[in-house]
């Protein structure tokens, strides 16, 4: 992007979901900054039909600008890929097109085609090292005009784990709940008191595996010992996302190939495959929707975060036998 005007076509490539989503949102924000009335069309690759892009990018009678976002672009069918590549060669002045692709072989024709057509490319690097996660934590605070001590960043990483969404949620909640310009290790310790006994991952595993009574007991203990509701919701969302990823993975991949494709360690893939027993697409969809609702409620949209969490656990377990 040059200046404050986004490129007509932007390709975001990378499997780090949180960072890719932020990159897409950044392009959309810039586009809307130049035209606050621009209409945003948010599409999912597997559902885009032939001719849909042409329709959405056709000149408006009133000259209104539009923004078209295609997520999971690797799932676009061959004819739609051809349509997108042809459009990228001669994009409309009134449309900003953003494509999100995780990288890899699937949909490579799209990536190669739009790159050759001159699309702007944003590459999102996979965060794999502890040092990179510490930099991510520090960056979250810096973006908000705050700071975090080195030992506090390490303590937060130790308490929350490697998932960037959980880390981002923890950073945001810490900044909301503390007034220190630079957050200390003592603040992190106070905030995560009790996590050693009950973590969001424990709660998520119990719910996903259908153990409602255990999940309810764990969530009450976690809340009573100071674990933030937003972290518990984040863990539930992470567990369900893992189910969806493993459940939709190509059937011809096994062992290390499957783990590499999913970006998960082999032990976690094996565990999630066992957890998939009893889950079907409809039930998983209901559970994910329930967690999305809970996320809104614990971030201020509801009066009782504890009730929201307990209700969500009930919905998850009830959805488990869905097919």
């Amino acid at each position: 992007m040059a200046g404050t005007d986004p490129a007509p076509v932007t390709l975001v490539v990378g499997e780090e979901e949180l960072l890719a989503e932020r990159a897409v949102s950044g392009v959309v924000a810039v586009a809307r900054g130049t035209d606050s009335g621009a209409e945003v069309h948010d599409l999912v690759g597997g559902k885009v039909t032939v001719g849909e892009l042409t329709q959405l990018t056709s000149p408006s009678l009133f000259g209104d600008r539009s923004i078209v976002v295609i997520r999971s672009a690797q799932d676009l069918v061959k004819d739609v890929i051809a349509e997108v590549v042809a459009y990228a060669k001669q994009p409309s002045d009134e449309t900003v097109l953003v494509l999100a692709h995780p990288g890899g072989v699937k949909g490579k024709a799209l990536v190669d085609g739009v790159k050759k057509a001159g699309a702007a490319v944003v590459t999102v690097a996979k965060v794999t090292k502890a040092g990179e996660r510490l930099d991510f934590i520090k960056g979250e605070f810096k973006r908000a005009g705050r700071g975090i001590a080195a030992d506090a960043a390490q303590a937060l990483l130790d308490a929350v784990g490697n998932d960037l969404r959980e880390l981002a949620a923890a950073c945001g909640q810490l900044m909301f709940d503390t007034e220190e310009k630079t957050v200390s290790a003592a603040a992190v310790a106070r905030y995560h008191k009790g996590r050693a006994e009950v973590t969001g991952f424990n709660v998520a595993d119990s719910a996903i595996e259908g153990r409602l009574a255990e999940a309810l007991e764990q969530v009450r203990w976690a809340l009573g010992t100071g674990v933030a509701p937003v972290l518990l919701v984040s863990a539930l969302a992470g567990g369900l996302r893992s189910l969806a990823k493993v459940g939709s993975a190509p059937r011809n991949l096994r062992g290390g190939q499957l783990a590499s494709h999913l970006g998960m360690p082999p032990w976690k893939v094996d565990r999630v495959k066992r957890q998939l027993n009893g889950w079907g697409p409809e039930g998983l969809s209901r559970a994910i929707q329930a967690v999305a609702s809970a996320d809104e409620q614990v971030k201020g949209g509801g009066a009782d975060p504890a009730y929201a969490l307990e209700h969500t656990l009930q919905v998850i377990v009830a959805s488990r036998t869905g097919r």
Side-chain angles (χ1 to χ4, degrees):
M1 292 180 289
T4 58
D5 201 25
V9 181
T10 299
L11 173 66
V12 177
V13 182
E15 60 178 316
E16 196 68 75
E17 291 181 5
L18 175 65
L19 301 183
E21 286 176 11
R22 286 183 176 181
V24 170
S25 297
V27 177
V28 172
V30 171
R32 298 203 73 178
T34 60
D35 184 354
S36 60
E39 185 175 3
V40 179
H41 304 278
D42 206 321
L43 312 175
V44 178
K47 296 183 179 180
V48 179
T49 57
V50 176
E52 190 171 359
L53 177 64
T54 300
Q55 180 182 357
L56 293 175
T57 57
S58 296
S60 166
L61 181 64
F62 303 101
D64 296 330
R65 195 176 203 186
S66 64
I67 303 165
V68 179
V69 178
I70 301 179
R71 305 178 190 275
S72 300
Q74 75 277 8
D75 294 329
L76 292 170
V77 298
K78 184 177 180 180
D79 289 343
V80 176
I81 288 177
E83 185 180 352
V84 172
V85 172
Y87 173 82
K89 293 176 181 177
Q90 292 184 308
S92 167
D93 292 334
E94 297 175 356
T95 301
V96 172
L97 173 63
V98 189
L99 305 161
H101 190 288
V105 176
K106 188 177 182 182
K108 190 171 184 296
L110 172 76
V111 174
D112 294 342
V114 296
K115 282 183 177 180
K116 189 173 180 180
V121 179
V122 178
T123 301
V124 178
K126 181 74 174 174
V127 176
T128 59
K129 300 177 181 178
E132 293 171 341
R133 294 187 183 94
L134 288 172
D135 288 341
F136 173 80
I137 291 170
K138 295 171 185 175
E140 291 295 284
F141 282 84
K142 186 175 181 180
R143 287 172 56 199
R146 302 277 293 277
I148 182 168
D151 57 347
Q154 184 64 58
L156 187 61
L157 180 61
D158 292 341
V160 176
N162 295 333
D163 185 85
L164 289 196
R165 289 183 186 276
E166 280 221 355
L167 286 171
C171 290
Q173 195 68 33
L174 259 176
M175 286 184 274
F176 181 81
D177 289 340
T178 61
E179 296 180 355
E180 302 167 277
K181 180 69 175 177
T182 300
V183 174
S184 65
V188 173
R190 287 194 304 272
Y191 182 70
H192 289 280
K193 179 184 177 184
R195 247 188 109 78
E197 291 81 11
V198 176
T199 72
F201 299 113
N202 297 144
V203 177
D205 285 341
S206 296
I208 286 170
E209 292 166 12
R211 303 192 304 274
L212 178 59
E214 185 176 321
L216 289 171
E217 181 181 358
Q218 289 173 334
V219 84
R220 290 165 187 160
W221 174 260
L223 292 172
T225 53
V227 179
V230 68
L231 294 178
L232 297 170
V233 172
S234 180
L236 289 170
L240 293 171
R241 279 198 306 272
S242 294
L243 286 182
K245 286 175 69 174
V246 174
S248 61
R251 301 301 179 197
N252 61 326
L253 297 180
R254 295 286 186 276
Q257 282 186 322
L258 178 59
S260 178
H261 174 80
L262 295 171
M264 295 181 183
W267 65 264
K268 184 172 183 179
V269 174
D270 291 340
R271 180 169 190 166
V272 174
K273 286 171 73 173
R274 290 194 297 271
Q275 291 178 330
L276 269 170
N277 292 329
W279 281 99
E282 292 182 5
L284 186 55
S285 176
R286 284 195 298 272
I288 290 172
Q289 290 172 14
V291 172
S293 176
D295 183 65
E296 179 183 359
Q297 292 181 62
V298 302
K299 290 179 178 175
D304 190 344
Y307 171 80
L309 275 163
E310 291 186 7
H311 175 70
T312 301
L313 292 175
Q314 291 169 347
V315 174
I316 291 173
V317 173
S319 300
R320 185 172 177 266
T321 55
R323 291 293 176 185

